[in-house]
Amino acid sequence: MSIPQTGGGPIERHEQLAEYLADGCKPKEDWRIGTEHEKFGYCKDTHKPLPYDGERSIRAVLEGLRDRYGWAEVREGDHLIGLEKDGANVSLEPGGALELSGAPLETIHQTCDEVNEHLREVKDIADEIGVGFIGLGAAPIWTHDQMPLMPKGRYKLMNAYMDKVGTTGTTMMRRTCTVQVNLDFGSEADMVQKMRVAIALQPVATALFANSPFFEGKPNGMKSYRSWVWQHLDPARTGMVPFVFDEGFGFERWVEYMLDVPMYFVYRDGQYIDALGQSFRDFLKGELPALPGEKPTLSDWADHLTTAFPEARLKKFIEMRGADGGPWRRLCALPAFWVGLTYDQGALDAAWDLVKGWDAETREAWRLAAAKDGLQAEVGGRRMNDLAVQVIDIARSGLKARARPGLGGMVQDERHFLHALEDSVETGMTPADELLQHYNGDWNGDLDRIYEAFAY
């Protein structure tokens, strides 16, 4: 989850809302890659989730990273709720999952080095205090009541609101994890093309990274239960945002969408003020019930942009949000997939050619089918595995065209980061399929085996 924004002057003109988004436009040489991933922590001896406080806790992990590896504290009141260093952040998801929000980096080689260094640091601290971490899309065994709510004001507000607008919001907050990548755009037209490709092909990422077939101790009937959870969370702020494909879509249309998204909060003087269900349009007029007579700043707008959760989200960059959290070897595959599709114009055009004939019903059908069946999904007689082969081919061509070497030139480009996905389409097996195979085979239905077998 995002941290609150500060600074930014008052919003005096409606046009500033779209201008804020347009300020994200960058020349191609300045495009960067920001990888984020979440993972569940647990006590090694009991396999129970980590509390916030205590000898074996989320706070203990944060303090260890701070003291040993030089991360600076991020506090909310008396609580340590995150860390920052060199443009990267470590933060807490509502149920205590630990998230790395990586620095904006030039190549996937660099972002993968960052991920690997972070996981080594976390493992170093975790091993000393008897804690483990695991990469999955959903908590496989834990119940809602076992999951603590982290001491952040934003989460307290969201927790109270979620059951009023959907059925799975508190499940999303406490018991799901993702890996995502944040990518840049060069112009409004470039943003539009990337957003359309991102939304249309997000179900392919959901299928390839599907890694949440268990919930509360048994198979749940889904390959990506995390994706299913998002389908039932809050229709006002989730989904496949079909207006992105309308003629004339651009920054201003995204502004209008966000103005229709009900607010969660306003952040003032280190406190989250309850604005649940209120309207940012009223805020612009100085008529927000939570702050009567006060008008918003650009930082309020930046905060509000973080409260919509569609499959791809526009801020001053684009967030790809469709993938389950997963094992170490797949974390670098997610940025490789999307960078390959979007950072080379030839690949981006090819990806758009692949999906531009789809209507909203087709895109939504792929989304639903991907969550349930992963690479075995079918829509209109077409198999997801076949579609994924085509998409990976395009991503591979984009990474080859980028030609960003690594390891001091020993590796000529970034294509090898796709190997885990190539293995999946060759076998037709997602991580969820592998987990189910173990569960029904050598684990003999003992889901506790997942912690030893798939821990970081």
Side-chain angles (χ1 to χ4, degrees):
M1 292 284 180
S2 302
I3 60 174
Q5 303 296 301
T6 57
I11 297 173
E12 299 172 338
R13 300 175 292 109
H14 178 89
E15 292 78 13
Q16 287 175 267
L17 305 177
E19 289 167 0
Y20 176 87
L21 298 172
D23 283 346
C25 295
K26 297 180 177 69
K28 188 171 184 178
E29 59 268 23
D30 292 338
W31 292 355
R32 295 294 183 264
I33 305 160
T35 302
E36 303 183 15
H37 82 273
E38 303 159 3
K39 57 271 185 196
F40 294 109
Y42 61 94
C43 298
K44 284 186 176 178
D45 57 348
T46 65
H47 296 162
K48 294 293 191 292
L50 298 183
Y52 174 75
D53 269 317
E55 184 177 334
R56 293 185 300 172
S57 65
I58 288 294
R59 183 174 56 79
V61 174
L62 292 177
E63 289 175 345
L65 293 172
R66 176 198 65 193
D67 296 341
R68 184 168 304 174
Y69 294 106
W71 289 82
E73 289 187 346
V74 177
R75 302 190 76 88
E76 185 175 307
D78 295 331
H79 298 292
L80 176 61
I81 50 91
L83 304 165
E84 56 187 10
K85 183 174 70 172
D86 299 332
N89 292 277
V90 175
S91 59
L92 303 181
E93 290 302 292
L98 197 68
E99 177 180 6
L100 173 71
S101 298
L105 300 169
E106 291 186 44
T107 71
I108 302 165
H109 306 290
Q110 293 170 341
T111 200
C112 200
D113 287 345
E114 177 191 54
V115 167
N116 290 339
E117 180 179 4
H118 167 72
L119 290 177
R120 282 193 295 268
E121 290 181 0
V122 169
K123 189 175 188 329
D124 185 25
I125 302 301
D127 283 349
E128 288 189 2
I129 61 175
V131 165
F133 283 88
I134 191 167
L136 296 164
I141 299 175
W142 306 328
T143 65
H144 174 89
D145 291 339
Q146 288 178 298
M147 303 299 294
L149 190 67
M150 295 295 103
K152 297 178 69 172
R154 174 180 175 132
Y155 298 160
K156 184 177 180 181
L157 290 173
M158 290 174 63
N159 189 64
Y161 185 68
M162 284 296 187
D163 287 341
K164 299 177 181 178
V165 291
T167 59
T168 59
T170 57
T171 297
M172 178 278 292
M173 291 175 65
R174 287 170 168 81
R175 293 186 284 172
T176 64
C177 281
T178 186
V179 54
Q180 68 180 53
V181 65
N182 305 323
L183 299 175
D184 289 315
F185 45 82
S187 64
E188 185 169 40
D190 184 45
M191 178 279 292
V192 169
Q193 189 178 19
K194 285 175 176 171
M195 278 293 290
R196 288 172 174 170
V197 166
I199 292 293
L201 291 180
Q202 212 64 225
V204 179
T206 297
L208 285 166
F209 290 84
N211 192 34
S212 46
F214 306 116
F215 199 64
E216 297 192 348
K218 58 183 183 296
N220 55 48
M222 298 284 160
K223 299 297 176 66
S224 174
Y225 189 75
R226 182 204 59 85
S227 180
W228 181 88
V229 164
W230 281 104
Q231 293 166 22
H232 299 84
L233 190 143
D234 180 352
R237 65 184 82 237
T238 61
M240 296 288 276
V241 283
F243 65 85
V244 167
F245 298 86
D246 292 347
E247 185 176 353
F249 170 69
F251 294 127
E252 180 57 38
R253 181 64 184 88
W254 192 265
V255 167
E256 292 304 311
Y257 162 67
M258 286 305 309
L259 291 177
D260 288 334
V261 171
M263 292 179 66
Y264 278 158
F265 63 85
V266 182
Y267 189 73
R268 289 287 184 277
D269 301 320
Q271 300 294 321
Y272 287 89
I273 297 170
D274 184 345
L276 292 168
Q278 297 176 27
S279 168
F280 206 93
R281 295 183 192 274
D282 289 342
F283 201 4
L284 290 169
K285 295 184 288 186
E287 299 174 359
L288 189 72
L291 286 175
E294 188 168 335
K295 292 190 176 183
T297 65
L298 283 172
S299 60
D300 294 324
W301 179 234
D303 281 336
H304 185 58
L305 290 171
T306 71
T307 65
F309 312 114
E311 293 293 294
R313 179 164 70 182
L314 178 62
K315 298 195 284 191
K316 287 188 177 183
F317 47 85
I318 298 172
E319 298 179 352
M320 308 301 189
R321 300 174 53 82
D324 283 6
W328 196 321
R329 64 188 177 88
R330 297 181 81 86
L331 295 177
C332 302
L334 191 278
F337 179 81
W338 287 115
V339 167
L341 290 173
T342 61
Y343 270 18
D344 170 71
Q345 190 60 48
L348 184 60
D349 289 341
W352 176 235
D353 285 343
L354 188 64
V355 303
K356 65 184 180 183
W358 296 357
D359 57 20
E361 290 73 21
T362 300
R363 293 189 295 269
E364 181 67 12
W366 278 120
R367 178 190 181 214
L368 301 180
K372 184 177 187 300
D373 296 321
L375 289 175
Q376 286 77 48
E378 288 193 20
V379 171
R382 189 173 195 182
R383 295 176 63 243
M384 175 64 84
N385 200 82
D386 296 336
L387 174 61
V389 167
Q390 290 182 274
V391 175
I392 292 170
D393 283 345
I394 295 170
R396 189 185 302 110
S397 71
L399 295 176
K400 181 179 180 181
R402 261 173 61 83
R404 297 298 181 94
L407 292 177
M410 294 176 62
V411 178
Q412 62 182 354
D413 56 41
E414 301 155 311
R415 284 177 290 173
H416 64 286
F417 292 112
L418 293 174
H419 286 343
L421 306 186
E422 293 165 348
D423 291 344
S424 288
V425 294
E426 183 176 338
T427 63
M429 298 276 288
T430 67
D433 294 306
E434 296 173 12
L435 289 171
L436 287 166
Q437 190 174 70
H438 283 294
Y439 178 80
N440 293 313
D442 57 305
W443 294 353
N444 196 30
D446 180 6
L447 198 45
D448 268 333
R449 297 279 297 277
I450 199 169
Y451 295 105
E452 288 185 17
F454 285 87
Y456 285 132

